[in-house]
Amino acid sequence: MDRSGEGKREEELGFERLAPFVCECEPLSQEDLEAIDATLQSSLPKPSTTNNNNNKRPFASHSPPRRSSRRRLPTSLIALQLPPSLSFSPSPGHLKTRLPVMKFCGKIMYSRTFTDVEKAVTKFLKIIEEKKRDMIQIPIGFDIEWRPTFKRGVPPGKTAVMQICCDTNHCLVLHLIHSGIPRNLQLLLEDSSVLKVGAGIGGDASKVSRDYFISIKGVEDLSYHANQKLGGGPNKWGLASLTEKLLSKQLKKPSKIRMGNWETPYLSKEQLEYAATDAFASWFLYQTIKDLPDAQEVADKSIEVDGAPQQ
């Protein structure tokens, strides 16, 4: 049966349906298209000249191109039709993605007089007692600050600030250089059931003991704790390096704050946030590290699996 007539009729009907969408304008000549193409090509970013075997055309087809009698649009016009998200050229000002910043977002309880420190510690102890209902040993993030010295032979200042944190909501910043250590704070520091955690905390505990003649008990160094879990040799981890390694966040340590005057009559907002974040990071890191399996246990299980008889 001859269907050539039907095919021709279907083609004519197809053009009739497309008629409302056809742009009624004069067709562009070849010279017009070449001129447009040259203008647009000059405004597009130059392709990289780096010799890379992986530099292939996006959406390249492995089938041979079809021949067509229709006039093709300039390649520059086709490129401009692609959405920005499909651009395969790196932005000239592209910067390396930075890690999110670690920051304490809870309530900072700042105290600078003997009475205020005593009251703040009393409230903190009530929170600790509530947590003891569920845990035998309560971890708190612990850190201290003091005024540095830049003269040879001059010892560093006395412990000026102590910060302690027990969760995501509460952090004490105690300005000890003005208040001293009340009796209830001393009892907290000497309570071994309250675990004080921090990076290099042994040195901090010794300094507090020398400065205020008290003994801090229940101390655990995050660096030692991390080495037990991570393996790979004894590494001396700092608080910032552990935060980056385990939490994928950056702990900012600006020198103007870290090496600033912690004996000032009143701490600035920046100093308070810095101090609270350090104590919070210590507490949070302990929660993260304690849930990790020991490196030796992982190695032993790996040996058991490798040594299992093959089926």
Side-chain angles (χ1 to χ4, degrees):
M1 183 177 180
D2 186 7
R3 296 182 178 274
S4 59
E6 294 182 5
K8 185 175 181 180
R9 178 55 182 166
E10 290 179 358
E11 184 176 358
E12 291 176 353
L13 291 174
F15 282 116
E16 290 177 2
R17 286 192 295 268
L18 290 174
F21 302 98
V22 175
C23 176
E24 295 182 358
C25 56
E26 293 295 328
L28 296 174
S29 66
Q30 182 64 34
E31 291 76 15
D32 294 333
L33 290 174
E34 290 177 356
I36 295 173
D37 191 28
T39 303
L40 292 173
Q41 287 285 2
S42 63
S43 64
L44 291 175
K46 301 298 181 181
S48 175
T49 57
T50 306
N51 185 16
N52 189 340
N53 294 331
N54 294 326
N55 289 338
K56 298 179 180 180
R57 293 181 181 178
F59 312 110
S61 173
H62 296 287
S63 60
R66 296 180 180 179
R67 296 183 179 273
S68 175
S69 60
R70 293 183 180 180
R71 181 181 296 167
R72 297 182 179 180
L73 288 174
T75 56
S76 52
L77 285 176
I78 298 174
L80 289 177
Q81 291 176 344
L82 291 175
S85 60
L86 295 181
S87 175
F88 294 93
S89 300
S91 302
H94 180 70
L95 298 176
K96 183 180 178 181
T97 303
R98 301 186 65 182
L99 295 175
V101 176
M102 185 76 171
K103 186 176 181 181
F104 176 68
C105 298
K107 182 179 181 181
I108 301 175
M109 294 174 281
Y110 171 48
S111 306
R112 59 175 302 279
T113 67
F114 183 92
T115 301
D116 289 343
V117 169
E118 190 175 43
K119 290 180 180 178
V121 173
T122 298
K123 293 180 181 179
F124 192 81
L125 287 173
K126 290 181 179 179
I127 299 173
I128 296 296
E129 290 301 321
E130 291 179 1
K131 293 180 179 295
K132 282 185 177 181
R133 298 175 184 176
D134 303 320
M135 294 181 286
I136 299 175
Q137 196 172 41
I138 308 299
I140 62 172
F142 179 93
D143 202 1
I144 60 173
E145 310 294 341
W146 62 89
R147 185 175 185 174
T149 181
F150 302 99
K151 295 182 179 180
R152 182 177 298 179
V154 178
K158 190 177 181 179
T159 301
V161 176
M162 178 181 294
Q163 54 265 40
I164 53 180
C165 179
C166 64
D167 53 31
T168 59
N169 300 318
H170 305 91
C171 185
L172 298 188
V173 178
L174 311 174
H175 215 164
L176 301 183
I177 197 69
H178 303 302
S179 67
I181 296 183
R183 177 62 177 170
N184 60 352
L185 177 56
Q186 180 178 347
L187 293 175
L188 172 63
L189 297 175
E190 294 178 346
D191 186 354
S192 58
S193 67
V194 179
L195 188 65
K196 295 83 180 174
V197 298
I201 193 172
D204 291 346
S206 297
K207 179 169 178 56
V208 174
S209 297
R210 292 192 304 268
D211 292 343
Y212 293 95
F213 308 103
I214 62 173
S215 177
I216 301 181
K217 299 178 181 178
V219 172
E220 184 162 344
D221 194 331
L222 291 174
S223 182
Y224 173 80
H225 198 36
N227 284 327
Q228 296 293 107
K229 302 287 187 173
L230 301 177
N235 296 311
K236 191 174 182 180
W237 296 97
L239 196 59
S241 59
L242 270 179
T243 301
E244 182 176 343
K245 174 74 174 179
L246 298 178
L247 306 180
S248 296
K249 291 187 177 183
Q250 59 171 323
L251 186 65
K252 289 191 173 182
K253 293 282 187 179
S255 297
K256 66 177 182 179
I257 298 178
R258 180 172 59 90
M259 306 295 288
N261 181 16
W262 292 95
E263 296 181 6
T264 181
Y266 293 90
L267 295 180
S268 66
K269 178 183 177 182
E270 291 76 17
Q271 286 177 311
L272 289 173
E273 291 177 346
Y274 175 97
T277 299
D278 271 7
F280 170 67
S282 297
W283 174 83
F284 197 91
L285 280 167
Y286 177 80
Q287 304 297 330
T288 302
I289 295 172
K290 72 181 180 63
D291 293 331
L292 296 175
D294 288 343
Q296 188 59 46
E297 292 180 6
V298 175
D300 292 343
K301 289 181 180 179
S302 178
I303 293 173
E304 291 177 3
V305 172
D306 293 341
Q310 300 294 326
Q311 298 293 333

